[in-house]
């Protein structure tokens, strides 16, 4: 077994060296570093390296290291990849500490610009965290400060201001100082913005900034445009051009495409990847399923493979270990030259975070690791479905009918199924508005927007069995009303006219009010179910493809760990009294026409085979030109019963039966819907 | 722990000082205007007097009065000469050439108040303070006949903490000819089509969310908001005589101390309430 040496520069400037198998994947190294750091909330971080063209790249955890970093020197920098918009929501102090380390570097290098006063304020919190309370009898305090770099243009005046402010933080613990640091840093306009040089369509030099909210366009430091994620329908690159397709405004009929020129196609691809990752992390509840059978998609099939913010937040809320002790070792900084940050040297700081100075690496790490290592896929609020549920058609294809996933350009990309790091990939596409699993942290305005989008798409998606429509519509109308009500109450903007509305995502607490949840679920109904993903051994709740008849409550129980842990870590008490589990199964022949016209319902039959299982078969006949007609057969199998029933078996059985009847039928969508009945009348 | 420095964006509207300037006689005939209206000098002077009284005597701000300059007919509209945020003052380069020298006296006054002074010297840049809307969390700069992109870029470079976004000013003189801040997170906006369009663009450009209050008259949307000790939310707004319809809308602001201030004469010169002062927050320890 051949081994290779990896050197990772940590955020405090120290180096961490380890050996990995030559063919090890990025994930392996990343986890080793996180283990060394005793970090559990890993999803915000990544390993960066400099490629052969002197550009910073992120190490893809799913791919082999050796296929990514081409040089013989495996040198990485552990860095923040996704900046959490609200750091106070992070569960552990150590996570905040690492985020602070990153931000100190960002500020000191000028990557995160701020005013003189802010530099001083942030510096004072850094000093409080590292050196503790201001000591007036300390010899030459100014010297100590002078050895730290807080700003690119630091001078005596700033150092004096820092000291002055430091005095006022007396009594503040390091953890609290970190919190204050982050509270101020997060408000800075460039916080979490990843910048890329580009040119606009007129050849003017601009910067494109990718962040949690969307894509920003800067001319120097001036923000000249902003495209929030909900407004972006498609992100693509081709050669050295980067394109985004924007949704039409209310008065517009057509989508518009905005193009930018990058330096070369590597840069375009890099920008594209960053967009895909940021969108996925901040917007989706679960990452898109791995690319398979996307034969209509050209070029890179790169998708974000990690957990999303929604997922990591839930996982974070389950962290149940005592706060890890860690040493504040910023004093041992050496150059973080990986990304051009200046050389920083600090005199030895001695204080820790008030606990035992030695690193306690293994406190509960065993159980903790088990928790985190699991890929807990959260569909909006609940835990992953069973395995064995049939694989789903990529939701993209379901909803993107409007787009007709065929690129207009000539096929220049020769590599189809090649791994996405292949540099020769000249183009790729990504449709971010995979409306299927939009993060529940949107604000109501966005829901309204997405509701609009759903409305538009409704005409395209397969209509449900006849017994439903009335209900469905009622819910929709109700939902729209709810949303509108909220919007009005906040007395915000009017419907879109020329420009896109403000679709910004203010992340909220993961504990949502039931009302919003309900809205969210209703939203989901339009697009059927999300990527049903990997396995948990227990059947659990999934959110639904149709509006719940009865309210459901957020259940953050992770039963998946019940087998390993004696206690279940929950943050909310489930109020479920009885449960009825419904598995809805829809299958339809693919509609290759794609003209989006809803079919005319010709016949419908209801066949009941068992008391547990109801199958509704709908034949939808579409009249085409030339007197031809096309019939689509839709089967909706609803399996109801108490939780005692093995739903999966029943489902598998039902699918088998359906296939016997129609051998060329394929499963396009599987949804697990849980209805709960509350004993109380209250909500 | 809050202490003296509460950090970024503390206390929107907590002003301590105001800089104003006297009304020159040349205002009546020579001040720039879009209409052909005749201005009553005495009327302009008395309403300005009342304005300054409200700021100083009634609200307790420390008012610095700069002397009028006959060679600068528009000098009363001091807002255009500087943009102040926190402890930094950007001395502008007004879009109208006849107004360039208005900045000299302003610069001196702000220096006296110990603010950090940044000057806009680039000859390709123009900026009127009336095109700059600071919401407490970010800046919007209206690109108008008086303010161009270069000017906006310099402003962005000056106030590094904040996002600075450009919005078009399709009609009217300045961005604040049809909008202003009515409170923390509250935008007052006129009803005209271009006003509404600009608001939508502001919302699109922002990561934050704002409430809005729509006024039937565009110019009525220009009010002066302050948050003062012992007084709380204060809003100087136009009178019922000037805008009878709009005045009823202000009454919706239940938490505000509403102070009607007449601006009738100066309105003929496209002047509005925010135009006549530069408000500053000076901390006691500076």
């Amino acid at each position: 077994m051949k081994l290779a040496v990896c050197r990772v520069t940590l955020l405090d400037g120290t180096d961490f060296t380890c050996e990995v198998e030559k063919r090890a994947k990025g994930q392996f190294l990343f986890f080793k570093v996180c283990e060394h750091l005793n970090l559990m909330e890993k999803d915000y971080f990544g390993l960066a390296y400099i490629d052969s063209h002197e550009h910073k790249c992120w190490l893809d955890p799913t791919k082999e290291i050796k296929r990514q970093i081409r040089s013989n020197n495996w040198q990485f920098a552990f860095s923040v990849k996704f900046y959490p918009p609200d750091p106070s929501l992070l569960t552990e102090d150590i996570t905040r500490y690492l985020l602070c380390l990153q931000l100190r570097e960002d500020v000191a290098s000028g990557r995160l610009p701020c005013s003189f006063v802010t530099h001083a304020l942030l510096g004072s919190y850094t000093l409080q965290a590292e050196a503790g309370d201001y000591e007036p009898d300390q010899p030459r305090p100014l010297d100590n400060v002078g050895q730290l770099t807080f700003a690119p243009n630091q001078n005596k005046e700033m150092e004096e201001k820092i000291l002055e402010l430091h005095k006022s933080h007396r009594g503040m613990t390091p953890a609290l100082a970190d919190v204050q640091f982050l509270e101020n840093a997060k408000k800075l306009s460039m916080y979490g913005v990843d910048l890329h040089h580009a040119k606009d369509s007129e050849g003017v030099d601009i910067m494109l900034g990718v962040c949690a909210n969307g894509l920003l366009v800067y001319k120097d430091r001036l923000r000249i445009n902003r495209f929030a994620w909900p407004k972006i329908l498609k992100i693509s690159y081709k050669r050295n051009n980067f394109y985004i397709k924007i949704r039409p405004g209310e008065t517009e009929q057509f989508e518009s495409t905005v193009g930018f020129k990058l330096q070369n196609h590597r840069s375009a691809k890099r920008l594209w990847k960053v967009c895909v990752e940021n969108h996925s992390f901040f917007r989706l509840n679960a990452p898109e399923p791995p690319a398979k059978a996307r034969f209509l998609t050209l070029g890179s099939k790169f998708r974000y493979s990690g957990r999303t913010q929604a997922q990591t937040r839930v996982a974070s809320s389950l962290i149940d270990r005592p706060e890890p002790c860690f040493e504040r070792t910023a004093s041992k900084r050496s150059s973080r030259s990986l990304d051009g940050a200046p050389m920083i040297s600090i005199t030895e700081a001695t204080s820790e975070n008030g606990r035992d100075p030695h690193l306690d690496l293994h406190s509960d790490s065993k159980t903790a690791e088990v928790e985190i290592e699991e890929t807990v896929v959260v569909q909006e609020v609940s835990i992953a479905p069973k395995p064995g549920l049939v694989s789903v058609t990529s939701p993209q294809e379901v909803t993107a009918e409007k787009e007709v996933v065929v690129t207009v350009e000539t096929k220049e990309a020769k590599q189809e199924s090649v791994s996405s790091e292949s540099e020769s990939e000249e183009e790729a596409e990504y449709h971010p508005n995979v409306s299927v699993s939009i993060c529940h942290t949107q604000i109501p305005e966005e829901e309204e927007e997405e509701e609009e989008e759903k409305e538009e798409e409704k005409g395209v998606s397969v209509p449900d069995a006849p017994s439903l429509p009335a209900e469905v519509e009622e819910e929709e109308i109700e939902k729209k009303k709810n949303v509108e009500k909220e919007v009005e109450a906040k007395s915000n903007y009017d419907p879109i006219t020329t420009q896109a509305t403000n679709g910004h995502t203010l992340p909220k607490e993961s504990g949502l009010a039931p009302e919003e949840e309900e809205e969210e679920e209703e939203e989901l109904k339009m697009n059927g179910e999300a990527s049903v993903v990997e396995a948990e051994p227990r059947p659990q709740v999934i959110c639904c493809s149709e509006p719940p008849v009865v309210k459901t409550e957020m259940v953050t129980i992770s039963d998946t760990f019940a087998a390993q842990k004696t206690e279940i870590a929950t943050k909310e008490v489930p109020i479920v009294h009885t449960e009825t589990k419904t598995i809805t199964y829809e299958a339809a022949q693919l509609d290759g026409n794609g003209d989006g016209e809803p079919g005319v319902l010709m016949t419908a039959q209801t066949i009941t085979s068992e008391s547990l299982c109801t199958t509704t078969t709908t034949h939808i006949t579409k009249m085409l030109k030339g007197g031809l007609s096309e019939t689509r057969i839709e089967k909706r199998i609803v399996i109801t019963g108490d939780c005692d029933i093995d739903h999966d078996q029943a489902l598998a059985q039902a699918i088998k039966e359906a296939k016997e009847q129609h051998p060329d039928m394929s499963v396009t969508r599987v949804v697990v819907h849980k209805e709960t009945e509350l004993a109380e009348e209250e909500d | 722990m809050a202490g003296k420095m509460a950090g970024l964006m503390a206390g929107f509207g907590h002003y301590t000082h105001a800089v104003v300037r006297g009304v020159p006689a040349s205002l009546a005939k020579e001040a720039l205007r879009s209409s052909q209206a005749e201005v009553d000098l005495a009327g302009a002077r008395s309403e300005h007097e009342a304005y300054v009284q409200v700021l100083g005597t009634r609200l307790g701000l420390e008012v610095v009065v700069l002397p009028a300059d006959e060679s600068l007919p528009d000098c009363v509209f001091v807002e255009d000469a500087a943009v102040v945020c926190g402890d930094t003052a950007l001395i502008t380069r007004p879009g109208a050439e006849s107004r360039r020298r208005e900045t000299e006296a302003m610069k001196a006054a702000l220096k006296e108040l110990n603010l950090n002074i940044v000057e806009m010297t680039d000859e390709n840049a123009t900026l009127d303070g009336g095109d700059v809307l600071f919401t407490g969390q970010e800046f919007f700069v209206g690109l108008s006949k008086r303010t161009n992109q270069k000017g906006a870029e310099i402003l962005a470079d000056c106030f590094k903490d904040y996002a600075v976004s450009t919005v078009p000013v399709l009609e009217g003189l300045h961005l604040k000819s049809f909008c202003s801040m009515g409170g923390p997170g509250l935008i007052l906006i006129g009803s005209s089509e271009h006003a509404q369009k600009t608001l939508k663009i502001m919302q699109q450009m922002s990561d934050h969310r704002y409430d809005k209050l729509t006024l039937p008259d565009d110019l009525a949307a220009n009010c002066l908001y302050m948050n003062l000790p012992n007084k709380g939310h204060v809003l100087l707004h136009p009178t019922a005589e000037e805008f009878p319809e709009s005045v009823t809308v202000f009454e919706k602001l239940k938490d505000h101390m509403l102070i009607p201030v007449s601006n009738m004469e100066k309105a003929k010169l496209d002047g509005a309430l925010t135009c006549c002062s530069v408000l500053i927050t000076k901390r006691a320890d500076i």
Side-chain angles (χ1 to χ4, degrees):
Chain A
M1 177 173 59
K2 290 190 113 185
L3 296 176
V5 173
C6 297
R7 265 172 279 271
V8 182
T9 308
L10 303 176
L11 285 166
D12 60 6
T14 59
D15 277 317
F16 169 71
T17 311
C18 69
E19 284 185 332
V20 302
E21 282 180 43
K22 262 200 145 55
R23 302 202 62 181
K25 297 204 171 143
Q27 176 117 314
F28 184 79
L29 176 62
F30 181 65
F31 279 178
K32 269 190 104 93
V33 176
C34 291
E35 186 181 47
H36 170 76
L37 292 170
N38 202 9
L39 171 69
M40 284 181 69
E41 297 180 282
K42 310 182 191 55
D43 303 289
Y44 301 95
F45 302 85
L47 291 172
Y49 64 94
I50 305 281
D51 69 5
S52 47
H53 303 276
E54 309 272 301
H55 288 120
K56 176 179 140 175
C57 301
W58 291 107
L59 186 67
D60 189 331
T62 60
K63 305 203 161 32
E64 288 180 14
I65 300 173
K66 71 188 229 318
R67 291 188 60 114
Q68 300 178 64
I69 188 166
R70 297 296 181 170
S71 91
N72 287 326
N73 178 25
W74 285 15
Q75 178 78 42
F76 303 92
F78 180 82
S79 313
V80 172
K81 188 169 177 187
F82 302 113
Y83 289 75
D86 196 351
S88 64
L89 296 180
L90 296 171
T91 298
E92 295 199 317
D93 289 339
I94 190 168
T95 321
R96 268 183 288 270
Y97 170 64
L98 292 171
L99 182 57
C100 280
L101 288 180
Q102 175 73 69
L103 286 164
R104 287 183 206 169
E105 194 184 303
D106 292 344
V107 168
S109 65
R111 238 190 336 266
L112 180 57
C114 55
S115 65
F116 174 92
V117 161
T118 303
H119 271 124
L121 185 63
L122 295 177
S124 71
Y125 287 124
T126 299
L127 205 53
Q128 180 69 23
E130 295 294 323
D133 284 348
Y134 171 81
E135 300 296 340
D137 48 341
Q138 202 170 37
R140 297 210 285 265
L142 220 55
D143 275 357
N144 280 345
V145 182
Q147 306 243 1
L148 292 161
T149 304
F150 299 105
N153 48 359
Q154 188 162 319
N155 54 20
K156 269 278 169 284
E157 194 194 337
M158 186 180 293
E159 289 169 11
E160 276 165 22
K161 188 81 188 166
I162 292 172
L163 281 177
E164 183 196 317
L165 293 169
H166 180 211
K167 288 180 198 170
S168 68
H169 304 321
R170 171 163 290 280
M172 199 185 283
T173 62
L176 209 45
D178 282 348
V179 165
Q180 287 301 110
F181 180 99
L182 294 172
E183 277 300 294
N184 282 284
K186 78 179 191 194
K187 290 178 186 155
L188 295 171
S189 70
M190 299 304 286
Y191 172 85
V193 178
D194 185 32
L195 288 176
H196 298 250
H197 284 279
K199 284 193 198 294
D200 70 8
S201 50
E202 280 150 41
V204 178
D205 278 316
I206 52 162
M207 299 281 267
L208 291 172
V210 187
C211 66
N213 295 321
L215 194 65
L216 299 158
V217 187
Y218 294 95
K219 172 90 179 57
D220 291 332
R221 194 158 278 136
L222 193 61
R223 194 185 272 201
I224 58 175
N225 216 335
R226 175 179 178 269
F227 303 102
W229 290 127
K231 281 279 159 278
I232 302 179
L233 287 169
K234 180 168 92 166
I235 306 173
S236 58
Y237 73 93
K238 185 177 165 150
R239 289 191 287 264
N240 62 335
N241 297 310
F242 174 80
Y243 301 100
I244 48 174
K245 189 185 278 195
I246 313 293
R247 267 209 271 171
E250 217 183 47
T251 55
E252 288 156 17
Q253 216 186 349
F254 302 108
E255 304 139 352
S256 52
T257 299
V258 186
F260 302 94
K261 250 187 167 28
L262 279 291
Q263 213 168 26
N264 47 47
H265 94 263
R266 255 183 331 275
S267 307
K269 181 174 180 180
R270 192 172 36 250
L271 171 60
W272 178 81
K273 273 182 158 182
V274 167
C275 286
V276 168
E277 290 192 317
N278 270 268
H279 175 269
S280 301
F281 183 79
F282 287 109
R283 296 280 299 157
L284 299 181
N285 275 337
E288 289 194 350
K292 29 178 253 186
R294 286 179 196 250
F295 49 85
L296 289 179
T297 310
L298 295 183
S300 172
K301 295 179 194 58
F302 169 81
R303 289 297 180 270
Y304 177 62
S305 52
R307 291 199 295 201
T308 65
Q309 180 174 242
Q311 292 172 319
T312 190
R313 275 183 175 166
V314 173
S316 279
S317 67
L318 298 172
I319 290 177
D320 199 22
R321 65 174 183 177
E323 287 279 356
C325 307
F326 56 92
E327 213 179 311
R328 286 169 176 270
T329 52
S331 49
K332 300 192 192 107
R333 277 197 105 95
S334 58
S335 167
R336 294 256 302 171
S337 55
L338 203 56
D339 41 13
M343 184 82 173
I344 299 169
S345 58
I346 302 177
T347 53
E348 291 265 323
T350 53
S351 80
E352 315 87 26
N353 56 348
R355 302 202 207 179
D356 293 327
H358 58 273
L359 269 170
D360 193 7
L361 264 182
H362 299 288
S363 62
D364 297 339
S365 58
K366 215 179 215 155
T367 31
E369 262 172 21
V370 170
E371 251 184 283
I372 298 302
E373 298 299 351
E374 304 264 6
T375 4
V376 178
V377 173
V378 180
Q379 298 291 344
E380 178 183 320
V381 175
S382 336
I383 311 302
K386 286 194 57 148
L389 276 174
V390 184
S391 65
V392 181
T393 304
S394 159
Q396 187 168 312
E397 283 158 48
V398 173
T399 56
E401 280 182 297
K402 186 161 70 166
E403 289 274 333
V404 184
V405 187
V406 175
T407 53
V408 176
E409 299 105 10
T410 53
K411 292 181 162 216
E412 278 171 83
K414 309 229 171 14
Q415 303 80 350
E416 230 83 319
S417 45
V418 167
S419 79
S420 64
E421 321 119 15
S422 154
E423 296 226 331
S424 48
E425 264 162 352
E426 297 236 324
E427 58 185 273
E429 288 177 9
Y430 171 73
H431 298 82
N433 263 345
V434 187
S435 27
V436 63
S437 45
I438 298 301
C439 185
H440 61 271
T441 57
Q442 293 158 9
I443 54 173
E445 296 151 71
E446 273 201 74
E447 285 173 356
E448 185 188 350
E449 283 183 61
E450 251 132 33
E451 167 76 356
E452 282 170 51
E453 193 205 324
K454 305 299 169 2
E455 293 284 316
E456 288 159 34
E457 290 179 77
K458 184 189 171 182
V460 177
S461 62
V462 172
D464 288 330
S467 52
L468 271 188
E471 222 176 67
V472 167
E473 274 175 40
E474 264 169 38
E475 299 280 353
E476 263 175 41
I477 294 167
E478 198 199 340
K479 178 194 166 164
K480 222 189 157 132
K481 276 209 226 114
N482 278 338
V483 171
E484 278 171 355
K485 204 162 38 134
E486 285 203 44
V487 171
E488 268 170 32
K490 290 173 173 80
S491 56
N492 219 315
Y493 57 94
D494 299 325
I496 308 165
T497 56
T498 47
Q499 288 281 346
T501 46
N502 186 7
H504 73 278
T505 45
L506 261 185
K508 290 192 204 165
E509 289 284 344
S510 21
L512 280 181
E515 176 192 51
E516 281 170 57
E517 250 181 275
E518 190 173 32
E519 284 180 9
E520 183 52 32
E521 287 176 330
E522 289 176 270
E523 241 182 278
L524 280 188
K525 76 158 152 58
M526 296 318 303
N527 324 289
E529 207 24 286
S531 28
V532 169
V533 197
E534 321 73 56
E536 298 310 340
R538 303 283 178 111
Q540 283 304 330
V541 176
I542 284 299
C543 261
C544 48
S545 72
E546 49 190 15
V549 173
V550 174
K551 264 207 176 112
T552 55
E553 286 286 328
M554 168 159 114
V555 175
T556 51
I557 287 185
S558 162
D559 244 17
T560 57
F561 310 135
Q564 289 99 1
K565 293 182 74 167
T566 47
E567 52 178 304
I568 298 174
T570 65
K571 291 282 194 275
E572 282 203 358
V573 178
I575 60 168
V576 170
H577 295 270
T578 61
E579 287 180 1
T580 308
K581 198 159 194 176
T582 309
I583 300 180
T584 308
Y585 160 62
E586 291 177 47
Q589 291 170 344
L590 268 182
D591 184 8
N593 199 323
D595 62 0
E597 237 182 304
V600 175
L601 180 63
M602 301 293 277
T603 65
Q605 302 170 335
T606 303
I607 306 157
T608 305
S609 49
E610 311 168 22
S611 54
L612 285 177
C613 175
T614 311
T615 306
T616 309
T617 306
T618 308
H619 295 249
I620 298 160
T621 304
K622 191 177 282 187
M623 306 307 293
L624 302 175
K625 296 183 198 151
L628 296 171
S629 71
E630 185 187 44
T631 303
R632 174 160 67 218
I633 302 171
E634 220 197 358
K635 273 190 181 302
R636 212 169 140 265
I637 302 175
V638 179
I639 303 171
T640 34
D642 293 328
C643 264
D644 303 329
I645 309 272
D646 185 350
H647 286 83
D648 307 293
Q649 194 182 53
L651 174 64
Q653 183 65 22
I655 293 172
K656 187 165 159 235
E657 279 168 9
K659 283 215 154 185
E660 272 159 19
Q661 288 179 33
H662 299 272
D664 54 346
M665 241 188 174
S666 61
V667 179
T668 54
R669 194 187 307 168
V670 178
V671 161
V672 174
H673 166 68
K674 178 175 173 179
E675 293 177 13
T676 61
E677 285 160 21
L678 306 174
E680 277 82 50
E681 51 310 316
E682 287 278 87
D683 71 86
Chain B
M1 168 207 320
K4 309 168 210 168
M5 285 298 270
L8 269 185
M9 301 161 210
F12 180 65
H14 289 163
Y15 303 115
T16 53
H17 293 66
V19 177
V20 298
R21 197 160 187 179
V23 178
S26 52
L27 174 107
K29 291 276 166 33
E30 291 164 58
L32 301 168
R33 69 205 72 186
S34 51
S35 66
Q36 290 295 31
E38 238 185 67
V39 173
D40 171 25
L41 182 64
R45 281 197 165 137
S46 86
E47 71 187 20
H48 190 60
E49 178 80 30
Y51 180 88
V52 176
Q53 278 268 321
V54 166
L55 294 180
T57 315
R58 184 149 171 206
L59 295 175
L61 294 176
E62 190 91 20
V63 181
V64 174
V65 183
L66 301 176
D69 184 332
E70 289 303 323
S71 67
L72 300 169
D74 286 291
C75 66
V76 66
F77 302 121
V78 289
E79 177 189 53
D80 296 316
V83 177
V84 176
C85 182
D87 62 353
T88 302
L90 172 68
I91 308 297
T92 68
R93 189 168 181 275
E97 201 169 331
S98 61
R99 302 192 61 187
R100 297 273 157 81
R101 286 189 303 108
E102 290 176 31
T103 56
E104 287 165 13
M106 178 58 71
K107 177 178 159 187
L110 297 178
K111 241 188 182 156
E112 274 272 322
L113 289 169
N114 283 325
L115 295 173
N116 297 321
I117 306 290
V118 177
E119 285 187 78
M120 190 176 290
T121 47
D122 189 328
E123 280 178 9
N124 296 316
T126 59
L127 185 102
D128 273 15
D131 280 316
V132 179
L133 181 70
F134 178 62
T135 69
Q137 294 170 300
E138 63 191 312
F139 282 94
F140 292 109
V141 179
L143 298 180
S144 66
K145 299 182 193 76
R146 300 287 175 92
T147 298
N148 66 13
Q149 188 150 311
K150 193 85 194 103
E153 278 169 28
I154 294 174
L155 186 140
D157 201 53
C158 180
F159 298 113
K160 294 189 171 59
D161 289 344
Y162 301 98
V164 178
S165 307
T166 49
V167 296
V169 175
L170 304 160
E171 279 174 50
L173 180 62
H174 288 137
L175 175 63
K176 282 192 280 195
S177 301
F178 51 80
C179 72
S180 66
M181 293 308 287
L186 176 66
I187 298 180
L188 304 177
I189 187 77
S191 314
S192 68
E193 199 183 321
H194 68 267
Q196 291 293 314
K197 269 191 187 163
T198 302
L199 175 68
K200 287 198 204 325
I201 294 173
M202 285 198 278
Q203 288 165 325
Q204 181 206 339
M205 295 295 273
S206 175
D207 294 318
H208 306 284
R209 171 187 189 197
Y210 297 101
D211 294 324
K212 71 170 183 188
L213 190 61
T214 306
L215 284 311
D217 306 287
D218 273 6
L219 207 55
N222 181 299
C223 300
L224 208 53
Y225 167 77
M226 286 179 254
N227 189 345
L228 303 174
N230 302 328
K231 297 193 173 49
H233 301 297
V234 176
L235 194 74
L236 271 65
H237 64 83
T239 58
E241 199 189 338
E242 298 161 272
F243 302 112
E245 273 181 56
S246 293
V247 157
T248 55
V249 178
F250 295 122
E251 280 148 31
K252 288 190 190 172
L253 299 168
K254 302 291 179 197
D255 292 330
H256 287 56
M257 178 193 284
L258 298 174
I259 305 179
V261 179
S262 177
N263 205 44
M264 193 124 71
E265 293 306 313
K266 289 192 233 98
K268 295 174 185 171
L269 304 165
D270 309 302
L273 288 175
T274 61
C275 302
C276 301
S277 57
V278 171
L279 300 174
I280 296 146
T281 309
K282 250 176 79 75
R283 294 192 215 287
D285 54 326
I286 295 176

